[in-house]
């Protein structure tokens, strides 16, 4: 293929535009997504999200059931303020409502409601997660299809 001199003269401009686009979009993504260390992200994905999906999403989701106006399927929801306190306060296990609820320390708010108390290792995982700052990559509520996929055990 024969290329003209103009093609070679514009290559640096195209390369610069590509670099600027990548830099811009990378910055935009970083602004919307918290910078989570890989080990913290892996901890959330393997220890926390599965429990939330299995034990909590049926009653506390953004799509069709936000009992007590609480959705635990995205970061803003799990850090929201309720009439009983803030659900999760990153770094503060003593004052995070979620810890009081899963430890069954509040008589009228023992969760998960129908499944009984979570086992000690699971509660310890939630404590560790909150102490590490409650890293959570879920920056927006899931769609109905995403929620269905997250809670499908077939």
């Amino acid at each position: 293929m024969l290329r003209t001199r103009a093609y070679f003269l514009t290559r640096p401009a195209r390369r610069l535009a590509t670099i600027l686009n990548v830099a811009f979009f990378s910055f935009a993504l970083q602004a919307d997504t918290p910078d989570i260390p890989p080990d913290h992200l892996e901890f959330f994905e393997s220890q926390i999200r599965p429990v939330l999906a299995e034990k909590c999403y049926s009653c506390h989701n953004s799509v069709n059931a936000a009992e007590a106006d609480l959705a635990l399927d995205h970061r803003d929801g799990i850090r929201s303020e309720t009439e009983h306190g803030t659900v999760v306060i990153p770094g503060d296990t003593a004052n995070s409502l979620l810890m009081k609820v899963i430890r069954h320390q509040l008589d009228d708010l023992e969760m998960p409601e129908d499944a009984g108390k979570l086992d000690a290792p699971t509660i310890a995982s939630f404590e560790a997660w909150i102490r590490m700052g409650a890293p959570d990559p879920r920056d927006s509520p899931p769609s109905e299809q995403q929620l269905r996929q997250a809670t499908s055990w077939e």
Side-chain angles (χ1 to χ4, degrees), residues 102-146:
I102 66 174
R103 288 178 183 145
H104 289 197
Q105 294 174 328
L106 304 174
D107 290 333
D108 57 338
L109 290 174
E110 296 175 345
M111 300 291 163
E113 194 171 49
D114 296 330
K117 190 174 181 180
L118 298 173
D119 61 32
T122 302
I123 293 172
S125 291
F126 274 88
E127 290 171 348
W129 174 64
I130 291 172
R131 275 195 307 274
M132 69 175 65
D136 188 340
R138 304 167 308 154
D139 59 354
S140 62
S143 67
E144 185 173 351
Q145 180 181 2
Q146 290 168 326

Side-chain angles (χ1 to χ4, degrees), residues 52-53 56-67 69-74 141-144 147-148 151:
L52 292 172
C56 306
Y57 287 1
S58 61
C59 296
H60 300 287
N61 70 72
S62 302
V63 175
N64 58 20
E67 290 186 18
D69 292 324
L70 179 60
L72 300 177
D73 55 9
H74 64 288
S143 67
E144 185 173 351
L147 182 67
R148 194 173 27 255
T151 57

Side-chain angles (χ1 to χ4, degrees), residues 14 16 35 41-42 46 51 55 67 69 77 98 109 142 149:
R14 284 195 312 266
L16 178 61
D35 188 23
L41 181 60
E42 195 278 325
S46 67
V51 176
K55 304 288 188 185
E67 290 186 18
D69 292 324
L98 181 66
L109 290 174
Q149 288 173 341

Side-chain angles (χ1 to χ4, degrees), residues 74-87:
H74 64 288
R75 185 175 51 248
D76 288 343
I78 207 160
R79 294 183 181 180
S80 65
E81 182 71 30
T82 72
E83 65 182 80
H84 300 285
T86 303
V87 179

